[in-house]
Amino acid sequence: MQNISQFISNNLFHHRDLSGYFEPVLQVFKPAWRSGFFRAQVKGIRILSENALKITLKPERKWPLHIAGQHISLTIEQQGRLISRVFTIASSAKKLKETGLFDLVIRTHDEGNFTPYLGELALNSWVNISNPMGEFIFDEQSNHTTFLAGGSGITPFIAMLDDLQENTQKHIHLLYYAKPNAHLMVDVLEKLLTRLPNFSFELLNRSEHGSFTKYVSVEHTDELLVCGPEEMFVEAEKFCKSRQIPIRAEHFQAIKPTKPLNEAARFTVKLNHGDLEISNRDSLLSEFQSHNKPVTYGCGMGICHQCQCVKKKGIVKDMRDGRLSDNSEELIQLCVSQAVTDLELEL
């Protein structure tokens, strides 16, 4: 029966399931409801600094319990378009169990395509979230662990520490790099000091303290966990290799277009089932159709969202206003998106 239902959905209604076809009707009763996503209600927005805020969300009951260190894709609607970004959950699974809430701590960028709108979210409004994702989690077997965080990379470590029991015997030392006076959630770290007797941390900045390597106790580090920018990961990987210390990391890297936007170019799109070479002169939808790739679509003008898919990596240009996405995971609409770099898509 499931195969028959899927066949009918794909061929008659042009959706992966019937619920997607009736999405506009369902949204009348459930605001922000979308097929294939979870809903979450905005329960708090707190300004942490000039360019950082904390959003507290209440997910619907069927949302799976996350593991500290995992991330989600957050989707909001802005000016009729769906935009998504990936953020690490900044609170423990314990908090979610006890309160039904979880936190995201987010650096905002005035010129960004997503974060400037987060402060405009109304209390009790609805957003969409994905399943918890990622394998950057704390190893319960490690007795002496060093955490290395850069900027907003502090968030998974806050969640990991908060999930530890008060009587834990694990020794954890956190090295936290940020610009002077720009460290996030220091009050939370100080509270963790009183609850976790074997936890310690240092607030560092590159200009004053230099490399993290002189603050790592090799004798008391069974594993190094790193979350921060690409250059921090590269340095940490080299250090751990020379000292034979296990390392696990989450790192973020900015990717910029390699060719002028008005110059004809061809790029590779990595799809669920193989790669495809496309031009940057037409929409992704038109390119897929010219290659006879089956794809769901509707209006072809960016209104109905039927051709939306998940961009895992790469940069696209919105043909309506010329705005560029960033390199992170997000929802895009094939009919109004052009490739600017190589892409990885999930149709």
Side-chain angles (χ1 to χ4, degrees), residues 6-32:
Q6 189 173 21
F7 176 84
I8 293 173
S9 301
N10 288 335
N11 290 278
L12 295 183
F13 296 98
H14 304 292
H15 281 270
R16 284 187 290 269
D17 55 59
L18 291 175
S19 60
Y21 183 79
F22 294 106
E23 187 172 283
V25 177
L26 292 170
Q27 286 177 349
V28 174
F29 306 97
K30 285 190 171 185

Side-chain angles (χ1 to χ4, degrees), residues 170-189:
K170 297 183 181 303
H171 292 76
I172 299 173
H173 187 55
L174 167 67
L175 305 175
Y176 181 18
Y177 276 83
K179 293 180 180 178
N181 303 314
H183 295 83
L184 300 173
M185 305 182 80
V186 177
D187 58 331
V188 177
L189 292 173

Side-chain angles (χ1 to χ4, degrees), residues 46-55 74 85-88 90 104-119 149-155 176-186 203-205 228-229 252 326 328:
R46 176 187 166 197
I47 305 299
L48 299 180
S49 68
E50 185 179 352
N51 61 348
L53 52 79
K54 181 173 78 171
I55 299 178
L74 172 68
R85 293 294 185 274
V86 174
F87 301 105
T88 300
L104 300 176
V105 172
I106 299 170
R107 287 278 191 193
T108 58
H109 305 277
D110 292 339
E111 304 301 321
N113 295 332
F114 185 92
T115 57
Y117 303 120
L118 294 177
S152 58
I154 188 63
T155 51
Y176 181 18
Y177 276 83
K179 293 180 180 178
N181 303 314
H183 295 83
L184 300 173
M185 305 182 80
V186 177
L203 302 181
L204 308 169
N205 66 79
F252 34 92
D326 60 24
S328 61

